[in-house]
Amino acid sequence: MVKPKRINIGYFLLYLLIQYSFGIDDTHTWTSIGFEKDLPHSLSFEFEQELRTKEQLSKFSQIFSDVSLSYKVIDGLNISIPFRYAVFD
């Protein structure tokens, strides 16, 4: 006979208390969008824009713009030239 598992209500409440006691003061987000375009001669171009917010999503913390040009040498080996422009609060 298999005994059903009992959930101890004290452990469950402690878990909920720990989960909701951190991070109440501020909410942060980190969003990004990007695209990739294959070019002739095994080249590819990538662009990605990232935005990080703080203080209940009302102010930006950091903005990143990533541009990359890569060349596929063989399967599994790419040579890449990245560039990142960052703006900090």
Side-chain angles (χ1 to χ4, degrees):
M1 182 174 175
V2 177
K3 290 185 178 181
K5 291 185 179 181
R6 291 182 53 204
I7 298 176
N8 188 336
I9 193 71
Y11 288 131
F12 182 71
L13 290 175
L14 179 65
Y15 174 76
L16 287 178
L17 177 68
I18 291 171
Q19 286 292 332
Y20 292 107
S21 65
F22 298 106
I24 294 174
D25 296 334
D26 197 5
T27 302
H28 296 262
T29 62
W30 182 353
T31 58
S32 69
I33 188 168
F35 71 89
E36 180 177 350
K37 176 69 176 163
D38 290 332
L39 302 173
H41 308 292
S42 299
L43 290 171
S44 80
F45 174 78
E46 299 175 26
F47 176 78
E48 185 174 8
Q49 182 71 42
E50 301 174 17
L51 172 67
R52 298 180 188 181
T53 62
K54 63 181 181 178
E55 295 183 15
Q56 304 296 358
L57 312 177
S58 64
K59 293 185 179 181
F60 79 89
S61 172
Q62 300 170 353
I63 297 175
F64 296 105
S65 297
D66 293 325
V67 177
S68 177
L69 185 65
S70 63
Y71 177 72
K72 182 177 180 182
V73 179
I74 57 174
D75 286 337
L77 178 62
N78 291 343
I79 297 174
S80 180
I81 301 171
F83 176 76
R84 174 178 270 190
Y85 179 75
V87 177
F88 298 94
D89 182 26

